[in-house]
């Protein structure tokens, strides 16, 4: 049974966040947060006390709320003191914003009386002016806990922001501990029913959709916001079957698509599959696009508009990243309609109506088994062949597993090789901020939130530099870390061969110094192994993995820097 602190004896912000079900915190104490953190128990390796604080380096801590939420659906918080610490957790904050992941960040300010006197880690306008920086990035969700702050006036707003996938920042001041928690009206959780009149709005949406698709091709594009939808893989399959429509998806949108969807044509753009890209590139003024869950970014649409007669959008969160004026109308050349509301309710309504009365669109053919047109490039025999590794792992994953791809070759090559998502495991890539090493923090958060899940992180030898010092804190969590070692900044190296092909490779500045990664891992209390090039020891290594294993495991994978697999369409923009 979990113990809880008495809110009458704790910091008002701890009480507020506990009421919002935010009860896990990660970061580093010091300076301006010591009087906040003294009210929170230390995380002991088990979630047996709430709230609890886990001490781990700020860069890693900034990403922990992202993984915590993706693994459990529960919001968590990152805490840092003034100065460099605030900057370090800010990398995770940016990805939370860019990927629409609800999370909480807590940072302090220097006291106003110290302004002009050179306080340590000066946050005033004479120093970092950090409040203005935070407000510039999160203008609607940065809250200063000073004498003007009112819980009564802001509670509903904070709750709504989190439920719409927004990160929230609380800025501590000397007045923060004196805020009267009091008795305030708690807003009800925003469920699908809170989206007023969704049924009639969907009826009107479907009417316009039917008119637009007559004798036209429909292409369904599945974006990453679809993760919010219950039973989503079942629903997207039913919709594809009902419309007999080609279905393609973004990197993270894949988590909303079943491998068994007969109309699934694969990933688009970054690491995209040939068949999916043929469909995406062929979109024209006579086609209709049904976009499910917003996803408009350089790795999906490559800074270009979607050409179509009509684009119909179903989403849930207001003003999600990529929207302009709460709309995706700017990303299409054609007419635009949208409905925002509970995705499960909206999709179920659409599927039912289409099953009752077909739409009259041009039916597509089911997707072929092979979604790529060319044979894979194979690795030199001295290295692990990534095609073989991913294909063998694809048959290994246990149900309810979760994995994170770092900003390395893993987040480009996996989807190209496998083409379709695996229903036993969700893979997330938080790529929009290009934060190398961030996947480690998300994996830590995911494992703490849900210790019974198998949690995997695929990182590169370049990314490893960003979090290696925090391995010790994660040693007993039972995370599995695949480290892809090619002694290169692989994404950069492969890209510059095309962008800077007239320059010598030493001017790519992409080399990474060789390190004894197994030795590093062992010194931090991890187990470690190195895969042999022929993968003859893979089964023995995987046999070590159990959801409740007492030590985390680093698996070094020597990979060939010349094995070019997934595509990178962004290169044409450089």
């Amino acid at each position: 049974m979990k113990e809880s602190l008495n809110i009458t004896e704790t910091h008002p912000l701890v009480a507020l966040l506990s009421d919002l079900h935010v009860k896990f915190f990660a970061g580093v104490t010091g300076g301006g947060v010591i009087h906040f953190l003294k009210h929170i128990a230390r995380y002991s390796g088990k979630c047996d006390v709430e709230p609890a604080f886990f001490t781990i380096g700020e860069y890693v801590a900034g990403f922990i709320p992202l993984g915590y939420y993706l693994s459990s659906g529960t919001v968590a918080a990152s805490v840092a003191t003034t100065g460099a610490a605030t900057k370090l957790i800010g990398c995770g904050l940016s990805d939370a914003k860019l990927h629409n992941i609800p999370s909480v960040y807590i940072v302090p300010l220097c006291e106003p009386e110290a302004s002009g006197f050179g306080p340590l880690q000066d946050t005033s306008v004479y120093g970092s002016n950090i409040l203005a920086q935070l407000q510039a990035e999160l203008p609607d969700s940065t809250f200063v806990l000073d004498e003007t702050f009112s819980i009564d006036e802001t509670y509903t707003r904070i709750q709504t922001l989190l439920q719409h996938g927004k990160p929230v920042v609380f800025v501590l001041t000397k007045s923060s501990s004196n805020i009267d928690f009091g008795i305030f009206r708690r807003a009800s959780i925003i469920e699908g029913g809170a989206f007023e009149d969704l049924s009639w709005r969907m009826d009107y949406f479907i009417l316009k959709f039917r008119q637009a698709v007559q004798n036209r091709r429909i292409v369904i594009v599945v974006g990453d916001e679809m993760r919010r939808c219950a039973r989503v893989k079942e629903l997207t399959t039913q919709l594809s079957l009902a419309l007999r429509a080609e279905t393609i998806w973004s990197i993270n949108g894949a988590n909303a698509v079943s491998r068994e969807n007969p109309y699934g044509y694969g990933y688009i753009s970054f690491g995209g599959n040939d068949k999916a890209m043929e469909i995406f590139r062929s979109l024209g003024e006579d086609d209709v696009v049904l976009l499910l869950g917003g996803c408009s970014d350089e790795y999906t649409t490559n800074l270009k508009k979607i050409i179509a007669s009509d684009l119909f959008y179903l989403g849930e969160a207001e003003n999600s990243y990529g929207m302009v004026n709460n709309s995706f109308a700017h990303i299409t050349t054609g007419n635009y309609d949208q409905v925002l509301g509970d995705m499960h309710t909206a999709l179920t309504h659409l599927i039912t109506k289409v099953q009752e009365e077909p739409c009259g669109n041009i039916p597509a053919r089911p997707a072929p088994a092979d979604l790529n047109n060319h044979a894979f490039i194979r690795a030199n025999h001295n290295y692990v062949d990534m095609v073989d590794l991913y294909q063998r792992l694809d048959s290994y994953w246990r149900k309810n597993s979760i994995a994170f791809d770092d900003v390395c070759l893993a987040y480009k090559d996996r989807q190209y090789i496998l083409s379709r998502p695996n229903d036993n495991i969700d893979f997330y890539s938080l790529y929009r901020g290009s934060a190398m090493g961030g996947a480690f923090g998300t994996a830590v958060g995911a494992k703490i939130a849900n210790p019974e899940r198998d949690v995997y992180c695929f990182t590169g030898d370049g990314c490893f530099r960003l979090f290696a010092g925090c391995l010790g804190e994660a040693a007993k969590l039972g995370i599995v870390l695949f480290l892809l070692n090619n002694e290169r900044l692989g994404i950069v190296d492969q890209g510059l061969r095309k962008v800077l092909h007239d320059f010598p490779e030493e001017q790519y500045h992409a080399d990474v110094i060789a390190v004894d990664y197994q030795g590093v891992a062992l010194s931090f209390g991890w187990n470690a192994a190195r895969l042999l090039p022929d993968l003859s020891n893979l089964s023995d290594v995987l046999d070590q993995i159990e959801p409740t294993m007492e030590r985390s495991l680093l698996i070094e994978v020597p990979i060939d820097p010349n094995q070019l697999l997934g595509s990178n369409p962004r290169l044409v923009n450089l």
Side-chain angles (χ1 to χ4, degrees):
M1 181 176 178
K2 295 180 180 179
E3 299 178 15
S4 298
L5 296 180
N6 186 333
I7 64 172
T8 62
E9 300 174 355
T10 191
H11 193 285
L13 180 57
V14 176
L16 170 63
L17 292 175
S18 293
D19 197 79
L20 290 166
H21 308 291
V22 181
K23 299 179 181 180
F24 183 80
F25 302 78
V28 178
T29 190
V33 296
I34 57 174
H35 292 296
F36 170 73
L37 289 175
K38 69 185 182 184
H39 297 285
I40 303 176
R42 178 174 63 90
Y43 174 71
S44 63
K46 296 180 180 179
C47 294
D48 52 359
V49 176
E50 292 181 341
F53 179 73
F54 179 51
T55 298
I56 193 167
E58 292 97 343
Y59 182 74
V60 172
F63 292 94
I64 283 177
L66 285 68
Y68 198 98
Y69 179 81
L70 292 173
S71 182
S72 66
T74 302
V75 179
S78 179
V79 184
T81 189
T82 47
T86 297
K87 295 280 194 176
L88 286 169
I89 67 166
C91 296
L93 181 153
S94 294
D95 261 339
K97 173 185 177 178
L98 297 176
H99 288 276
N100 306 298
I101 300 174
S103 45
V104 171
Y105 293 84
I106 300 167
V107 298
L109 292 179
C110 296
E111 293 310 314
E113 296 83 359
S115 180
F117 289 89
L120 190 66
Q121 304 160 351
D122 190 353
T123 61
S124 75
V125 294
Y126 303 108
S128 66
N129 199 16
I130 194 65
L131 180 58
Q133 293 187 46
L134 292 167
Q135 291 172 332
E137 186 165 9
L138 297 175
D140 299 319
S141 55
T142 298
F143 299 91
V144 181
L145 304 186
D146 58 15
E147 61 275 1
T148 67
F149 178 80
S150 168
I151 291 177
D152 285 326
E153 294 175 3
T154 56
Y155 183 90
T156 301
R157 181 178 162 200
I158 292 165
Q159 185 186 52
T160 301
L161 286 165
L162 292 173
Q163 297 210 358
H164 280 275
K166 304 293 190 290
V168 172
V169 177
F170 292 101
V171 182
L172 300 174
T173 69
K174 184 184 293 185
S175 306
S176 299
S177 59
N178 297 323
I179 292 173
D180 182 16
F181 185 74
I183 300 174
F184 57 90
R185 182 177 57 84
R186 291 159 172 77
S188 60
I189 300 298
I190 299 176
E191 302 288 0
F195 293 93
E196 296 180 0
D197 303 318
L198 181 59
S199 179
W200 76 258
R201 286 190 291 124
M202 279 303 301
D203 284 340
Y204 184 66
F205 180 91
I206 294 168
L207 175 64
K208 298 189 72 173
F209 182 73
R210 287 187 183 279
Q211 294 170 347
V213 303
Q214 290 295 315
N215 299 313
R216 284 180 167 162
R217 176 176 69 154
I218 299 173
V219 174
I220 300 173
V221 180
V222 184
D224 57 357
E225 194 197 7
M226 289 299 293
R227 69 171 184 268
R228 301 164 65 95
C229 179
R231 294 175 40 238
V232 65
K233 293 188 177 186
E234 177 184 337
L235 292 177
T236 53
T237 300
Q238 290 176 0
L239 182 62
S240 298
L241 285 166
L243 292 172
R244 297 169 68 185
E246 297 161 326
T247 303
I248 55 182
W249 49 84
S250 68
I251 297 172
N252 293 318
N255 294 316
V257 180
S258 171
R259 176 167 288 187
E260 304 306 316
N261 188 325
Y263 291 95
Y265 275 79
Y267 296 81
I268 55 175
S269 293
F270 191 74
N273 302 113
D274 297 333
K275 298 300 184 185
M277 287 309 299
E278 288 173 0
I279 292 170
F280 195 61
R281 293 189 182 110
S282 71
L283 286 171
E285 295 179 355
D286 289 328
D287 296 319
V288 175
V289 172
L290 178 57
L291 177 60
L292 305 177
C295 195
S296 172
D297 59 50
E298 193 167 3
Y299 275 5
T300 306
T301 55
N302 204 26
L303 309 182
K304 295 180 176 62
K305 291 193 174 190
I306 296 175
I307 301 173
S309 69
D310 296 83
L311 190 149
F312 291 86
Y313 173 61
L314 289 179
E316 186 156 321
E318 295 181 355
N319 294 305
S320 63
Y321 178 74
M323 282 183 151
V324 174
N325 297 322
N326 201 32
S327 167
F328 282 111
H330 64 288
I331 71 168
T332 182
T333 61
N335 302 313
Y336 179 80
D337 285 279
Q338 75 175 28
V339 166
L340 299 181
D342 178 69
M343 288 295 296
H344 184 271
T345 302
L347 270 183
T348 301
H349 194 86
L350 175 59
I351 291 165
T352 300
K353 295 294 185 181
V354 173
Q355 288 174 338
E356 290 174 352
E357 182 183 351
C359 286
N361 57 290
I362 299 172
R365 295 180 178 179
D370 190 349
L371 300 183
N372 292 318
N373 297 333
H374 308 286
F376 296 121
I377 294 173
R378 291 296 182 168
N380 181 288
H381 70 276
N382 293 318
Y383 300 95
V384 168
D385 190 304
M386 292 305 294
V387 175
D388 292 339
L389 176 61
Y390 276 121
Q391 289 177 344
R392 288 186 59 176
L393 288 175
D394 190 57
S395 63
Y396 164 78
W397 305 127
R398 288 190 281 255
K399 288 184 178 180
N400 197 38
S401 297
I402 189 170
F404 301 91
D405 286 328
D406 219 329
V407 181
C408 63
L409 291 177
Y411 83 147
K412 177 176 69 69
D413 293 345
R414 172 186 54 81
Q415 58 266 34
Y416 181 69
I417 294 168
L418 299 177
S419 301
R420 292 178 170 89
N422 187 311
D423 292 342
N424 287 341
I425 185 170
D426 289 333
F427 267 91
Y428 289 99
S429 175
L430 305 183
Y431 56 84
R432 290 176 181 157
S434 295
M436 293 174 61
F440 179 75
T442 57
V444 170
K447 191 65 176 180
I448 291 174
N450 200 336
E452 301 303 315
R453 295 186 81 168
D454 285 344
V455 176
Y456 303 89
C457 176
F458 287 77
T459 191
D461 49 347
C463 296
F464 183 78
R465 268 77 176 158
L466 277 294
F467 62 80
C470 293
L471 288 176
E473 284 74 17
K476 295 182 180 180
L477 294 180
I479 294 168
V480 180
L481 180 69
F482 285 88
L483 191 148
L484 310 185
N485 178 13
N486 57 8
E487 299 183 20
R488 298 282 195 283
L489 299 174
I491 290 289
V492 173
D493 179 63
Q494 290 189 2
L496 293 188
R497 296 183 196 187
K498 298 179 180 179
V499 177
L500 301 180
H501 54 84
D502 293 332
F503 287 76
E505 288 191 11
E506 58 266 22
Q507 289 179 236
Y508 297 171
H509 310 296
D511 294 337
V512 173
I513 300 300
V515 172
D516 178 6
Y517 296 105
Q518 293 179 82
V520 172
L522 290 170
S523 71
F524 278 109
W526 286 51
N527 289 330
R530 178 182 170 92
L531 294 182
L532 298 173
D534 63 359
L535 295 178
S536 58
N537 65 335
L538 177 62
S539 295
D540 290 338
V541 172
L542 296 180
D543 284 344
Q544 301 179 43
I545 301 172
E546 293 292 340
T548 56
M549 60 186 184
E550 295 182 355
R551 282 193 176 191
S552 295
L553 172 65
L554 181 145
I555 303 173
E556 183 180 354
V557 186
I559 66 171
D560 185 351
N562 296 313
Q563 188 176 23
L564 307 180
L565 294 164
S567 63
N568 184 356
R570 181 175 183 255
L571 297 178
V572 301
N573 303 327
L574 299 179

